[in-house]
Amino acid sequence: MLLRADSLHNARQSAVAEPSAGHWEGHNTDGTAAGLTPKQVLQQLPKDATPAQQDSAIQANFSPTREHLSTRPDTLRMPFDSVKTSKDAKPFFEESFFDRDSMYHPELSGGLYGVAGDPVPYNMRGDTLITCLLLACFILGIISFSHSRNLISRQAKNFFRFSSGNTTTENETTSELRFQLFLVFVTCLQFSLLAFFYVEETVSEPLILKSHYTLIAIFLALSSGYYLFKTAAYTFVSGVFFNMASNRLWLKSQLFVISILGVVLFPAVVLLIYFNLPLHTVLIYTTALVVLAKILSFYKCYVTFFRNNSPGLQIFLYFCTLEIVPLLALVGGMMMIVDSLKINY
């Protein structure tokens, strides 16, 4: 048995399809469907139209067109915008309010930002150069002492006894003499460090020097000059009034006293730098050692030059002229240099 098709249903489908098909062929000049919107085009499709068919209908009725962007300059200057009005233009986040000002010069340094804080005070404990220098002095001193301990014991025995004619039976070798000269340098270094600590504690005004090493070097040069001047003065005066043997014995004893002074000062300086030993305690200790060294020098001066003569007032004049006056000149010279280096506001 054959079933006839529903003519009413087919007529309705053709009536819907024909207007839409005829309308898909007509387009406006701007590429849009003539008098229709995308919604109206989709409404003309069957209800069971797939998304692909809907997309095909939209593409058939509407053609994409390229929008013509404005050629006027963009005043918003959006970040990372590829369109720039000039060759040297910058994104807005890199611009300043004063970029267009003729007085604006960012290439010139205008100072630091923020408020300056209190500078960290200088601490010799953290100074690498001073630490290496003291460590080198200690190591070299130990090595030299291991090779020259016989010299120290021999000079210590001969210091408190004397022979007729003021002559010595043994002479120092070149290595032993170098060892004593090294100890003299260590003594000068200890005095320069102590003077630097005293200036840092007592002088409140800043100095014109840019580095602490300069002041230490100045004190080291003054201390070395002090001992060189003493040696030259003793050599000249003793050469005029006394014989050469007595003069040589006196210089050897002075070299021994200065060397031992540097050795006993070394622990005090190390304690002052690295263990916060009070400065006044170190100064008292240093003053006691200097006084003891002067007493030993006075004794040796008497034994060497004035034992066989009536000393009277000569020994005091001799000792004060060549020992006390140069020491006072050294202290006064250090004070004058520090006063001249102060910044006077």
Side-chain angles (χ1 to χ4, degrees), residues 195 198-199 202-203 205-209 215 218-219 222 325-344:
Y198 179 78
V199 171
T202 58
V203 178
E205 295 84 356
L207 304 180
I208 61 176
L209 299 176
L215 186 60
I218 292 174
F219 290 155
L222 288 176
V325 173
L327 181 61
L328 296 178
L330 173 65
V331 177
M334 288 183 176
M335 296 176 61
M336 290 178 59
I337 289 177
V338 172
D339 289 338
S340 62
L341 294 178
K342 291 181 182 178
I343 299 178
N344 299 320

Side-chain angles (χ1 to χ4, degrees), residues 159-328:
F159 188 85
F160 295 99
R161 67 182 181 182
F162 52 89
S163 58
S164 59
N166 291 330
T167 59
T168 57
T169 57
E170 297 181 3
N171 294 324
E172 289 77 8
T173 61
T174 304
S175 60
E176 292 174 343
L177 183 61
R178 290 176 181 175
F179 167 65
Q180 286 192 318
L181 293 177
F182 170 74
L183 291 181
V184 171
F185 169 77
V186 172
T187 304
C188 296
L189 180 62
Q190 308 312 311
F191 279 120
S192 62
L193 293 177
L194 290 175
F196 173 77
F197 270 107
Y198 179 78
V199 171
E200 286 288 319
E201 290 289 336
T202 58
V203 178
S204 58
E205 295 84 356
L207 304 180
I208 61 176
L209 299 176
K210 296 182 179 180
S211 175
H212 298 84
Y213 303 132
T214 306
L215 186 60
I216 296 175
I218 292 174
F219 290 155
L220 181 60
L222 288 176
S223 301
S224 303
Y226 163 73
Y227 286 114
L228 289 176
F229 173 77
K230 278 183 54 179
T231 303
Y234 272 120
T235 302
F236 175 76
V237 175
S238 301
V240 173
F241 296 99
F242 307 101
N243 55 35
M244 188 61 65
S246 300
N247 189 17
R248 188 181 299 110
L249 182 62
W250 166 252
L251 292 178
K252 289 181 180 181
S253 63
Q254 285 295 294
L255 195 61
F256 172 73
V257 171
I258 297 172
S259 302
I260 297 301
L261 182 61
V263 172
V264 295
L265 274 178
F266 188 82
V269 175
V270 172
L271 291 175
L272 176 63
I273 296 176
Y274 300 102
F275 297 95
N276 294 327
L277 189 66
L279 181 61
H280 67 276
T281 304
V282 178
L283 291 179
I284 294 173
Y285 175 76
T286 304
T287 304
L289 289 179
V290 172
V291 172
L292 180 61
K294 296 303 178 184
I295 293 174
L296 293 176
S297 298
F298 183 81
Y299 165 77
K300 195 63 179 180
C301 179
Y302 168 76
V303 170
T304 305
F305 299 120
F306 300 97
R307 180 174 57 89
N308 297 325
N309 303 323
S310 55
L313 191 61
Q314 297 178 2
I315 185 173
F316 293 98
L317 295 177
Y318 181 82
F319 187 80
C320 292
T321 303
L322 299 180
E323 283 289 337
I324 305 301
V325 173
L327 181 61
L328 296 178

Side-chain angles (χ1 to χ4, degrees), residues 30 33 39 59 119 129 137 197 265:
D30 58 353
K39 180 180 179 181
Q59 291 184 6
L129 180 60
C137 291
F197 270 107
L265 274 178

